[in-house]
Amino acid sequence: MSKQAILGAIRRSLGRDPRDSYLAQARLAEHPRGIVPERSRRDRAGQLALFQEQAEAVDATVVRLAALDEVPEAVADYLKRHNLPGDLRLAPDPELEGLPWADKAPMLTVASGRADPEDPTSLTGAFAGIAETGTLMLHSGPQGPTTLNFLPENHLVVLKASQVVGAYEEAWARVRAAYGPGALPRTVNFVTGPSRTGDIEQTIQLGAHGPRRLHILLIEDEPEAGAGEEGA
Amino acid sequence: MDSTSRSFKDNAKTALSDAQLRRALDNMKEGFIAKRAKAAAKLPEFEALRDQARDIKNHTLENLDAYLELYADKVEAAGGTVHWCATADEARAAVVEICRSVGAKTVTKGKSMIAEELALNEHLEANGLVPVETDLGEYIIQLRGEPPSHIIAPAIHLNKEQVASDFRARHTEFPAERQLEEPQQLVAEARAVLRQKYLDADVGITGANFLVAETGSSIIVTNEGNGDLTQSLPKVHIVVASIEKVVPTLEDASAILRVLARSATGQEFSTYTTLSTGPKRPEDPDGPEQYHVILLDNGRSQMLGSEFQDMLRCIRCGACMNHCPVYHSVGGHAYGWVYPGPMGAVLTPSLIGVEEAGHLPNASTFCGRCEAVCPMRIPLPKMMRHWREREFERHLAPPAVRAGLVMWVFFAKRPELYRFATGLKAMVLGALGRQRGRFAWMPLGRGWTAHRDLPVPEGRTFMELYDERQRAPVRDGIVRALRRGPETERRDAAGERDAA
């Protein structure tokens, strides 16, 4: 086994004792925050505006809705406006499955589960939105198949205003609160805009392998923007 | 990958006369530099973040054994397997063994420089497997049978017409008369072709930008989403990563990510940053059933504690080559191995030996732009100098260069003699060439005069002029400044009043 050989070689090069791991263990336990960009520290309204501005700057689109109930209609509108098929694959998340699809968007064919390669459009929830770069944080789990984030050409994401934080560090704090220290879901995806490539003469093309379109439905679920911010 | 670094000089000559390559490289000079500058200017904390990134990685390297053990424990706790590989041979064998154990045929690959270092594709093919690169740039060069010429933009040496002709030659399933003039058409065709490969693959191999000790996660950063499809659709995910990729915590990874994309492509954040921790959980609807990490040393542990330790901070953003005048002139292939540009000029001799790659640290004008833009503040020119010293110590430099250096050292150590000799040279050359103003030919000077004329010195050296102008004026200047003092102050005060 090369493990001891490699560790031994490292220790010889560094002149270290094998028992010298307390510094490393302390850093993992404390996970100190470093410099957090000032731009992320705003009041709630400011953070939401920054999130939207940054997401739009990288070719995502954002629509603000007053309540979760408005999602089916907004989705139907979006698909119609872009002349997209009416087939929608939902993440198997009771909150999304329980929306009034039949009443508000009867023209859509809605199914839930992991992505089928032929699915044109997916709709998923999110764990957090990060204002500093307009980034979505999604993760795998029973309610979040990872394939939904990458296989379909159009990815629609329901993000609640209460899920928007200023900086990456705040999102990690929420992950630790939900999953415990040192543990993560199998996959955590930070998504910032739709798929792109610059591999041909450095001209940016959208939709290289992942979604061509990323549409964020931002739900105003906080009674009064401005209360209870963590970032400021 | 076999190295052609020994023939760097010939490679460079060929590259300089390649018109297609010139056009492609001209295309890159402006883009990357302007985009990085803009991204850096937009974030007031950028310079402080570079210092912080350097400090995090320094701390990690000083405690590397501890972090690697903690990392590996976490991977195993999440149900993954770590394969510690001291050499490239061990790593290749481990990958093939995993593929065999699941009866794999097709292997999709995300972009990985470590896989290039292992020459993994050739090895997989030799073992009856079919590797398919999924990053668009990597896919294009795989069709052409070429190695990457840039660490983040592997096909940067190609123009779209070359790509179109490769696609026509290889994608025979599409109608021959189809349009392929625009990049969008090429991207769409590659998307369609690769889509099926993702679904057919038995094993997905990716690299890792970071390994997180706190959680046992591997992180990949991409814009296309190819890495994510590669690692989430097949039943086995193999990560190939080198030991210096580890960082302590999620906060540390995020801190370094803040400088990575900005330095690389000038994006604030790459489109996809994905953390993978172990295989599919029992309750997950999708994901790979096996998760393996090939943890490769391949010479890196020997760099620790040496004058090349700082190189292990590198996060492979490519900023150094994007800003390098030598890279701009010769492109990446001339460097002859996996890593081109300034980072390659330092890393390649460390990994394959200075005997093989001694030319690379010499392929620099020492303009210092690489160090000025390196997000991890790696002193690249200083380390290239260390390699030059080693090359000299080991008598690898050609006799003429050695003799020249010995002679120069003799004079440089004796300043009086040096000034006398250079003074004499300036005087003689000045007198000889005064008529024409330039030399078209000169003994020992063919390296210069073969391509352009040498201007004639005006007769005296810089030191002579400096001495002459320094002595009298300094004294006079002090006296003048003292006299002018109160008057200047009055003028400044008046100026302020006017401005108000």
Side-chain angles (χ1 to χ4, degrees), chain B residues 356-374:
Chain B
E356 188 64 39
H359 283 312
L360 305 187
N362 291 312
S364 167
T365 64
F366 279 177
C367 72
R369 272 164 104 185
C370 50
E371 184 175 355
V373 298
C374 174

Side-chain angles (χ1 to χ4, degrees), chain B residues 78-154:
Chain B
T81 312
V82 178
H83 306 258
W84 299 74
C85 300
T87 63
D89 278 337
E90 286 182 35
R92 287 188 282 254
V95 172
V96 168
E97 178 56 36
I98 297 166
C99 292
R100 285 221 177 105
S101 73
V102 294
K105 290 187 185 65
T106 307
V107 178
T108 42
K109 279 182 66 211
K111 210 180 97 52
S112 155
M113 295 313 294
I114 297 298
E116 297 293 337
E117 196 177 314
L118 299 175
L120 197 53
N121 285 354
E122 293 162 34
H123 196 72
L124 291 172
E125 281 167 5
N127 282 276
L129 293 148
V130 182
V132 181
E133 294 287 353
T134 61
D135 172 82
L136 179 56
E138 289 280 347
Y139 175 69
I140 293 167
I141 60 171
Q142 190 186 20
L143 288 184
R144 297 172 65 87
E146 289 178 355
S149 68
H150 189 287
I151 61 172
I152 68 160

